[in-house]
């Protein structure tokens, strides 16, 4: 129906134009001529509409690097090596040779050369056989688009198709189509395919001899193939060199050199670089020619570093790895190594480690800390607790099974402490953090979001290396997240060029398609994460790396999955973001596999190679990030009793402004051996002393681990008054926790409580019956009964805490 409408519209327009012309024409002969023209025009329009040109043939998908170097190519849908050819890609000598040989009048005829047709027809009739052809380049193109048996009728159709091509396309487009379809034997079509397969080079790098060879092979593509019949090809080439010499098509010296150049029997494999990257691009991007963001020199260097490194750690049971390097200026991927060797079948080298979902270990912690900074929960010097903690039945441990007690947020992040991170996630809210990760494009998090909990911050989830690296690029872009750029021509507006306010205005005005970004973190928190993670005073800094003298300043974070199956290291600076994964594709673990020991050395080698001369040394500090004095023991604003202060960063109108109240006044006797409350305070012989007031569980841990701190003396034993303040805190079991215990076993439940340092004895009651007494922090165990159980803990002053639990037997 649409075709008919199109025909009628064309005819209507043509008739309208011609009718006006006929009306204006006075002479009857002119009117008749115009009528004839109108009929012919209508017929041509109808024929062109009813018999459109054949559809263009499907081309091979060809992948290039950012500088136009061939990475690889794939067979077309009909299993041909048919690479699309442009005049700019071809040596001028080759174009000249083809035009001189096939159609010297190409740029002047309308698709058909009448003189050639008459000459060929006359010669063929006289000789009673086909002596010469009359096909122009346009006619040959029509025949290659729609091959038919060679008959006079088909030749007429070919002529009409040639005229049709000339109407629809420019001479340049027709010549490019011709060069793309020329047959070169077997499944090879087009100048570009033949150039790479027969000479191992691009068609703009051909010698004159090679250009002439590609001009003559299509005459008999199967018998003149250089890989099958080089001697016959040599004869045909020399024949045309002589013809070109007679016609003075090229200089005598050039043709003499071409004549002396040998013809080799070669067939080269199509180049295959960056196989995982090319497969990803071919699958996800349209077009027969794709110029990518990849830099072949960086790719080859990265592949060698990865392959050599795997050889060094192979004895430790580590057989594979993946690397991705992003140029932060354009967020472009410049290196993409999906495995240590694509052809290494023994190590499953064809698996793409960059897109595989793996446990990320601790690599998501920087995002959590940045979010906590933006939410006003922490600053770098604020204190977090690294002590044994039960988070609703989840009791995480640090990688080295040690605890550090009270640490700064910076120390906790840099040294990847688990308990502070889980506590921070609980405080922030897992759902909120999961939402941020989903916005950041972590597809594994999206799939698993319903089953994720606090453990996700320690690797209890799945991520891809490319998506993880993209998340880290946000820190390099002042908190803005851009798509990873695989294509050379894509350019985004970046955070270095726009303020946060300007970016927000562009997003609100509907121009987000230009900036292609979303804000994940503030510029201030991004700067703080970068600065904290750039310190060398950390456990995972390797000191025995060769060539680290030239290592640029970088921020980096490591991760190790449960069971030591995955080792991660992701680093960034103003120039690059680099991600490294090491492990085994069959998920075999290794006792030597860890992010700090295994992945970081390779990360440093990659940065040394890629960023040997940094363009920018470090990030600029945002204007809303300032410094202030804080208490050295809490990281809060100094209180009246804080003795030591340190400098700390804070974000104006965001960071907490709480004053430190760690030190509380306590009345004690002159020798500080007895503590008094207001009920037993004597009239004289006492003084007021300030002691640090830690949370009970913290104070107990410090005491148990011989961490020195000033604690108040025991309370006056002669006092019978009721003391104020917090009583004991039951650490185990948890309130409303449901236990499942196997029948006929000796399984027991642990009792443990914490209290302030002045309490020396606590008393346990189970279902209103006294059980045992202990010191705060001691562990007791009891055999529970089925059903509800109430547990009460009292201290020496009668202050109490209680929890209720449920016990099920199975």
């Amino acid at each position: 129906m649409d075709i008919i409408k199109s025909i009628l519209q064309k005819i209507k327009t043509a008739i309208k134009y011609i009718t006006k012309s006929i009306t204006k024409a006075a002479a009857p002969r002119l009117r008749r001529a115009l009528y004839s023209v109108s009929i012919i025009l209508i017929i041509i329009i109808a024929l062109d509409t009813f018999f459109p040109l054949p559809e263009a043939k499907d081309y091979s998908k060809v992948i290039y690097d950012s500088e136009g170097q061939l990475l690889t190519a794939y067979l077309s849908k009909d299993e041909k090596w048919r690479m699309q050819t442009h005049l700019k890609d071809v040596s001028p000598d080759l174009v000249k040779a083809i035009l001189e040989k096939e159609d010297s009048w190409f740029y002047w005829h309308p698709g058909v050369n009448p003189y050639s047709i008459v000459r060929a027809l006359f010669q063929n009739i006289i000789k009673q056989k086909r002596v010469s052809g009359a096909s122009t380049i346009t006619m040959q193109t029509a025949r290659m688009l729609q091959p038919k048996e060679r008959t006079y009728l088909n030749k007429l159709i070919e002529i009409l198709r040639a005229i049709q091509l000339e109407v629809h396309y420019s001479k340049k487009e027709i010549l490019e189509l011709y060069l793309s379809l020329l047959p070169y034997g077997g499944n090879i079509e087009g100048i570009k395919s033949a150039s790479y397969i027969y000479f191992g080079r691009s068609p703009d790098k051909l010698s004159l001899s090679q250009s002439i060879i590609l001009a003559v092979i299509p005459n008999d593509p199967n018998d003149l193939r250089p890989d099958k019949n080089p001697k016959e090809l040599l004869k045909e080439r020399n024949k045309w060199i002589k013809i070109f010499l007679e016609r003075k098509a090229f200089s005598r010296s050039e043709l003499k050199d071409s004549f002396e150049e040998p013809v080799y029997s070669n067939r080269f494999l199509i180049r295959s670089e960056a196989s995982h990257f090319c497969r990803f691009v071919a699958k996800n991007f349209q077009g027969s020619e794709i110029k990518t963001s990849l830099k072949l020199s960086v790719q080859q260097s990265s592949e060698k570093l990865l392959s050599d490194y795997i050889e060094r750690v192979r004895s430790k049971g580590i057989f594979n790895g993946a690397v991705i390097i992003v140029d932060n200026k354009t967020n472009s991927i410049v290196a993409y190594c999906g495995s240590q060797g694509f052809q290494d079948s023994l190590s499953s080298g064809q698996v793409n480690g960059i897109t595989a979902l793996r446990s990320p270990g601790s690599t998501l912690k920087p995002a959590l800390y940045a979010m906590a900074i933006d939410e006003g929960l922490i600053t770098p010097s604020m204190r977090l607790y690294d002590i044994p903690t039960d988070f609703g039945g989840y009791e995480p441990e640090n990688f080295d099974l040690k605890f550090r007690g009270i640490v700064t947020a910076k120390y906790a992040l840099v040294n990847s402490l688990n308990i502070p991170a889980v506590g921070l996630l609980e405080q922030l809210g897992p759902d909120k953090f999961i939402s941020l990760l989903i916005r950041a494009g972590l597809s594994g998090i999206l799939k698993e979001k319903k089953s994720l909990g606090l453990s996700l911050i320690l690797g209890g989830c799945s991520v891809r290396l490319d998506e993880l690296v993209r998340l880290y690029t946000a820190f390099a872009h002042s908190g803005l997240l851009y798509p990873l750029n695989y294509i050379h021509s894509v350019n985004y507006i970046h955070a270095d060029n726009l303020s946060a306010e300007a970016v927000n205005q562009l997003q609100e005005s509907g121009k987000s398609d230009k900036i292609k970004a979303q804000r994940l973190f503030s510029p201030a928190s991004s700067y703080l994460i970068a600065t904290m993670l750039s310190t060398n005073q950390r456990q995972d800094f390797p000191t025995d790396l060769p060539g680290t003298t030239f290592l640029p300043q970088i921020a980096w974070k490591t991760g190790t999955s449960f069971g030591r199956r995955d080792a991660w290291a992701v680093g960034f600076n103003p120039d690059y973001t680099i991600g490294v994964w090491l492990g085994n594709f069959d998920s075999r673990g290794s006792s030597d596999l860890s992010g700090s020991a295994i992945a970081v050395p390779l990360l440093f080698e990659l940065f040394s190679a890629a960023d040997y001369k940094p363009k920018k040394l470090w990030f600029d500090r945002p204007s809303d990030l300032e410094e202030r004095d804080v208490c050295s023991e809490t990281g809060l604003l100094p209180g009246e009793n804080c003795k030591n202060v340190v400098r700390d960063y804070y974000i104006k109108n965001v960071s907490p402004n709480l004053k430190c109240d760690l030190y509380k006044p306590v009345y004690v006797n002159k020798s500080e051996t007895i503590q008094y409350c207001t009920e037993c305070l004597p009239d004289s012989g006492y003084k007021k002393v300030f002691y640090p007031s830690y949370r009970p569980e913290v104070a107990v841990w410090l005491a148990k681990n011989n961490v020195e701190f000033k604690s108040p003396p025991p309370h006056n034993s002669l006092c019978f008054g009721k003391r104020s303040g917090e009583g004991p805190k039951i650490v185990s079991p948890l309130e409303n926790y449901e236990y499942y215990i196997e029948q006929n076993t000796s399984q027991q439940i642990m009792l443990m409580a914490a209290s302030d340092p002045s309490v020396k004895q606590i008393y346990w009651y189970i279902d209103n019956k006294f059980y045992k007494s202990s010191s705060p922090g001691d562990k007791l165990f009891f055999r529970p009964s089925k059903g509800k159980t109430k547990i009460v803990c009292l201290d020496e002053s009668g202050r109490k805490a209680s929890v209720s639990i449920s016990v099920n037997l199975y």
Side-chain angles (χ1 to χ4, degrees), residues 669-685:
N669 62 358
K670 294 294 185 179
S671 60
E672 297 187 30
T673 57
I674 299 174
Q675 177 184 163
Y676 300 116
C677 66
T678 55
E679 295 286 335
C680 63
L681 186 66
D683 294 333
S684 61

Side-chain angles (χ1 to χ4, degrees), residues 620-669:
D620 298 324
R621 193 173 95 177
S623 59
D624 63 341
L625 185 64
E626 298 185 355
E627 290 185 79
R628 65 185 179 187
D629 288 334
V630 297
C631 173
S632 62
E633 295 186 67
T634 61
L636 300 176
L637 293 177
E640 296 177 0
N641 303 303
C642 295
K643 298 176 181 178
N644 299 308
V645 296
V646 294
R647 298 293 286 174
D648 188 26
Y649 285 114
Y650 76 102
I651 306 174
K652 289 188 293 187
N653 302 320
V654 174
S655 297
N657 292 315
L658 300 174
K659 275 199 171 185
C660 175
D661 61 350
L662 176 64
Y663 284 85
K664 302 288 178 65
V666 177
Y667 294 104
V668 296
N669 62 358

Side-chain angles (χ1 to χ4, degrees), residues 100 212 237-253 255-256 259:
E100 185 67 31
I212 295 172
R237 184 206 66 177
N238 292 343
K239 167 188 162 184
W240 276 98
I241 287 176
K242 292 176 182 177
I243 293 173
F244 289 150
L245 184 62
E246 293 171 3
R247 295 181 183 178
K248 297 181 180 181
F250 301 94
S251 70
R252 179 176 292 273
S253 61
L255 290 171
K256 181 182 177 183
F259 191 85

Side-chain angles (χ1 to χ4, degrees), residues 12 398 447 469 576 729:
K12 184 178 180 181
N398 288 319
K447 294 176 183 176
V469 166
Y576 294 99
K729 179 179 179 181

Side-chain angles (χ1 to χ4, degrees), residues 392-451:
Y394 177 49
E395 300 181 48
E397 295 177 321
N398 288 319
F399 185 75
D400 59 3
L401 304 180
K402 297 178 182 178
F403 299 95
R404 274 78 175 175
I406 305 171
V407 297
T408 64
K410 176 182 177 180
Y411 183 92
L413 173 60
V414 168
N415 291 282
S416 199
L417 301 182
N418 290 340
I419 288 82
V422 175
L424 203 55
L425 179 58
E426 183 182 53
Q427 187 180 1
L428 181 66
D431 289 344
K432 200 169 189 177
F433 184 59
I434 289 169
S435 177
L436 177 133
L437 297 178
I438 291 173
R439 284 199 298 116
L442 271 64
S443 57
I445 302 295
L446 178 62
K447 294 176 183 176
E448 301 167 349
K449 64 179 181 179
K450 292 182 180 179
S451 61

Side-chain angles (χ1 to χ4, degrees), residues 50-70:
F50 278 115
F51 302 99
L53 286 167
E55 291 185 5
K57 291 188 177 182
D58 178 62
Y59 289 112
S60 297
K61 183 161 281 194
V62 187
I63 315 293
Y64 300 96
D65 82 338
S66 60
E67 297 176 354
Q69 298 183 79
L70 178 70

Side-chain angles (χ1 to χ4, degrees), residues 114-134:
Y115 170 75
S116 297
I117 292 176
V118 172
R119 182 197 63 195
L121 183 63
F122 177 77
Q123 290 177 344
N124 293 344
I125 291 173
I126 296 298
K127 299 291 185 179
Q128 295 293 305
K129 64 177 182 179
R130 187 176 181 274
V131 176
S132 65

